[in-house]
Amino acid sequence: MTDLSFADPRIGWRGSRPRSRSRMLQRGAVGRSTKLAGSPVKDSLQTLLAKYIRTVDHIFQPDASLEGPYDRVNSLDEALSNLYTDDVVATLESRGYSVEDIMCWAWIITAVSPERAAFRLTAVTNGDKLANRPGRKVPIFVFLFLLRRQRLTVRTLKLLLLHGWDRLMGRISRPGTSNSPLGLDDAVKPDSWSTRRWNNKQGAIGMNMRMDETTVMIMIVRLLRHARMLWPQAIVSIAAMVSTGVDGLGSAPRYSSPAALNERSTARLTFLYNRALSLCSVPSSLHPFHSLAYHQRAQFNLLKRMNSFEPAITINREGYRAIVRVQVAHKKTVKERQWAIMKAKSWPPWKEEKLGLDVEKGVEDGISRASQVLSRSNEAGYSGLAFEKIAQISAGWDTDRSPTIQTRTLLCRPPRVRRLRSSSAKRGDSAISDEKNKEFWAPRIRATRTVEEAWACFLANEDQ
């Protein structure tokens, strides 16, 4: 699994090339650009928590190498006095925390299983109503650290998703809601939470710190990674976090009307929203074709939100490619199935009029949804590169505008445009025709109906 803890989601918007983890460590950029992602910084809360776990927490373990209870107490007193100096206590109090909060964070982090850690996180933030114990604030880096764990369960992911919405909205859930079946089922229905789950009077008690856009994107990246493997239905809810957390309003209240964006905000939101479209286009590991409806719905919600800004956020090449990936893999519509029936048995499969009504149907009726997206991309000024041509073949039309068989395909992740252009310039691909380009023949062979057609297409490739 890829560790995205050191990946800054803003890279690409500012035009800088991605930096590796080693380069960021050498330049000290890890603590600067991903401070909230869990990387330790001097005198930070992450550093204090790490020191507590290393020097204090192990004393409470049953297997601690101590001879007796007195040695344990003496070691604990010495460790606590060395850790909680006057400066450290003053720093915690200035940030609204106490020494007991450090113990709670360590209790969450050191859980033996992700599910137990999620339950501990919920217990600490919600508090205990019967014992009249209020919930405690937990820093965002603790939550992001839990999302880095690999082997989650569906129930754990639901609890973490609920907690993510709690943080994003700046509210705390009612006691017991996170453990109830209603609360877990509503994790994919963020629009109904304001009336069914939240106690508005308690909204300002707990997590009152607004999450910045970088932290929101890191949280979304990690939640989507788990959702694709365990719970594809949650992709819709996770994508809705982009509309809520990346709104270009700065410190304005949530759910404000979309503000008029300046040039810098427009550039930033254009990159982030199109990157979110790309993240939602990655197929799920669990039933990739059956879960495409959730990917499509998530993208449609993002597009609707992009259109609500003033001026509207445009779709760049990355966004168009993300939409094409989902549409190519999606099942045919009724109109596309009717067009497939009218195709002749010969090759290329041109339209064959089988009924009198078929005379009125032209080539425009055979344009699939993926082909329409590719046409919009071309109209927006993005010329067709190798990825667009491969997608066009799978969408039902070859590069020479002859018809193929529309085929559901999980397209590979498209390469970065600047890398593709540089490599193409070195190889001289601009001078190579589509008929001689080998990477186009694999989708052509797949876009056939029978073994004979596929074999004939393969032999045509050999003759080039």
Side-chain angles (χ1 to χ4, degrees):
M1 181 181 298
T2 304
D3 184 7
L4 300 178
S5 304
F6 297 89
D8 190 346
R10 297 171 298 181
I11 292 178
W13 157 51
R14 295 178 176 176
S16 58
R17 62 190 183 95
R19 295 173 291 180
S20 63
R21 176 175 178 177
S22 59
R23 291 183 59 196
M24 295 177 71
L25 287 173
Q26 292 174 0
R27 298 186 179 183
V30 172
R32 180 173 64 254
S33 61
T34 59
K35 181 178 180 180
L36 295 177
S39 52
V41 184
K42 184 179 180 180
D43 295 332
S44 65
L45 297 178
Q46 295 95 319
T47 303
L48 295 177
L49 178 58
K51 290 181 179 180
Y52 178 87
I53 296 176
R54 184 172 61 251
T55 61
V56 179
D57 186 74
H58 75 280
I59 301 177
F60 295 100
Q61 303 302 324
D63 57 347
S65 57
L66 298 174
E67 297 180 358
Y70 293 104
D71 293 337
R72 187 183 300 272
V73 173
N74 294 332
S75 300
L76 181 60
D77 292 340
E78 182 181 359
L80 291 176
S81 61
N82 293 333
L83 177 62
Y84 294 120
T85 60
D86 295 338
D87 294 338
V88 171
V89 174
T91 301
L92 290 175
E93 292 178 352
S94 64
R95 300 183 182 184
Y97 299 107
S98 62
V99 294
E100 291 83 3
D101 292 327
I102 300 290
M103 299 177 60
C104 294
W105 307 342
W107 184 56
I108 298 171
I109 293 294
T110 57
V112 295
S113 64
E115 185 170 5
R116 182 171 298 182
F119 276 110
R120 290 181 178 182
L121 177 64
T122 303
V124 170
T125 55
N126 289 349
D128 190 350
K129 184 178 181 180
L130 298 178
N132 196 19
R133 179 172 56 86
R136 294 180 178 273
K137 293 188 298 182
V138 179
I140 185 61
F141 72 87
V142 176
F143 174 57
L144 295 180
F145 183 81
L146 296 184
L147 293 178
R148 292 180 60 183
R149 296 203 177 189
Q150 297 186 7
R151 296 177 178 85
L152 301 184
T153 62
V154 177
R155 184 174 181 83
T156 304
L157 177 59
K158 292 179 179 180
L159 290 173
L160 294 177
L161 179 57
L162 287 173
H163 183 80
W165 272 107
D166 292 344
R167 285 191 169 276
L168 193 61
M169 303 297 294
R171 299 169 176 173
I172 58 174
S173 59
R174 296 177 181 179
T177 304
S178 298
N179 298 331
S180 65
L182 177 62
L184 295 180
D185 292 340
D186 277 359
V188 294
K189 303 175 183 178
D191 297 337
S192 63
W193 285 9
S194 59
T195 57
R196 299 181 63 181
R197 292 191 69 249
W198 300 114
N199 186 351
N200 294 330
K201 295 181 179 180
Q202 296 179 350
I205 296 177
M207 292 163 283
N208 55 1
M209 294 182 295
R210 179 180 174 90
M211 298 172 62
D212 62 275
E213 294 176 348
T214 302
T215 306
V216 172
M217 292 302 297
I218 293 175
M219 177 184 65
I220 291 172
V221 168
R222 297 182 184 181
L223 284 173
L224 281 175
R225 191 191 319 142
H226 293 296
R228 288 192 292 264
M229 294 186 294
L230 300 172
W231 195 32
Q233 294 89 332
I235 294 177
V236 180
S237 178
I238 299 172
M241 290 181 172
V242 182
S243 303
T244 305
V246 185
D247 49 15
L249 298 177
S251 58
R254 300 290 185 188
Y255 296 120
S256 301
S257 58
L261 303 176
N262 54 31
E263 183 178 356
R264 181 177 178 84
S265 298
T266 302
R268 184 183 72 254
L269 293 181
T270 299
F271 171 76
L272 292 178
Y273 270 87
N274 282 277
R275 179 55 53 89
L277 289 174
S278 179
L279 292 173
C280 292
S281 68
V282 180
S284 301
S285 303
L286 185 65
H287 308 299
F289 286 104
H290 288 83
S291 61
L292 279 171
Y294 306 111
H295 295 264
Q296 178 178 258
R297 182 181 171 189
Q299 287 187 341
F300 286 175
N301 292 340
L302 289 173
L303 293 174
K304 182 179 179 181
R305 176 61 175 171
M306 293 169 65
N307 192 48
S308 65
F309 286 94
E310 182 63 35
I313 300 177
T314 59
I315 309 175
N316 57 19
R317 184 186 290 273
E318 181 182 13
Y320 278 115
R321 287 180 168 184
I323 301 174
V324 167
R325 290 185 69 185
V326 175
Q327 296 303 321
V328 167
H330 210 280
K331 63 180 180 181
K332 296 184 180 70
T333 61
V334 176
K335 182 179 179 180
E336 292 171 352
R337 288 197 295 267
Q338 292 176 352
W339 181 261
I341 295 175
M342 288 190 299
K343 290 186 175 181
K345 299 298 181 180
S346 59
W347 194 266
W350 294 100
K351 169 195 168 186
E352 186 177 57
E353 300 173 357
K354 299 182 179 180
L355 299 175
L357 296 176
D358 296 340
V359 179
E360 302 177 356
K361 297 181 179 180
V363 179
E364 62 277 0
D365 295 315
I367 304 299
S368 61
R369 292 172 299 178
S371 297
Q372 292 177 3
V373 177
L374 291 172
S375 299
R376 298 293 183 272
S377 176
N378 192 21
E379 293 173 359
Y382 300 108
S383 60
L385 300 179
F387 176 85
E388 284 77 12
K389 294 179 181 180
I390 293 174
Q392 186 67 58
I393 295 173
S394 301
W397 296 94
D398 208 332
T399 55
D400 59 354
R401 304 306 300 169
S402 62
T404 61
I405 303 301
Q406 182 181 351
T407 307
R408 298 182 67 180
T409 306
L410 295 176
L411 296 177
C412 298
R413 183 177 180 179
R416 295 200 174 193
V417 177
R418 59 172 178 268
R419 291 182 180 178
L420 189 146
R421 287 176 177 174
S422 61
S423 60
S424 299
K426 293 179 181 179
R427 297 194 310 263
D429 288 350
S430 58
I432 300 177
S433 63
D434 295 340
E435 293 295 331
K436 296 182 179 180
N437 201 327
K438 302 298 181 180
E439 61 183 349
F440 296 148
W441 284 99
R444 284 171 180 161
I445 294 174
R446 287 194 299 265
T448 54
R449 293 166 294 193
T450 62
V451 177
E452 290 76 10
E453 291 178 354
W455 181 248
C457 186
F458 176 78
L459 294 179
N461 176 32
E462 293 293 325
D463 295 339
Q464 296 297 328

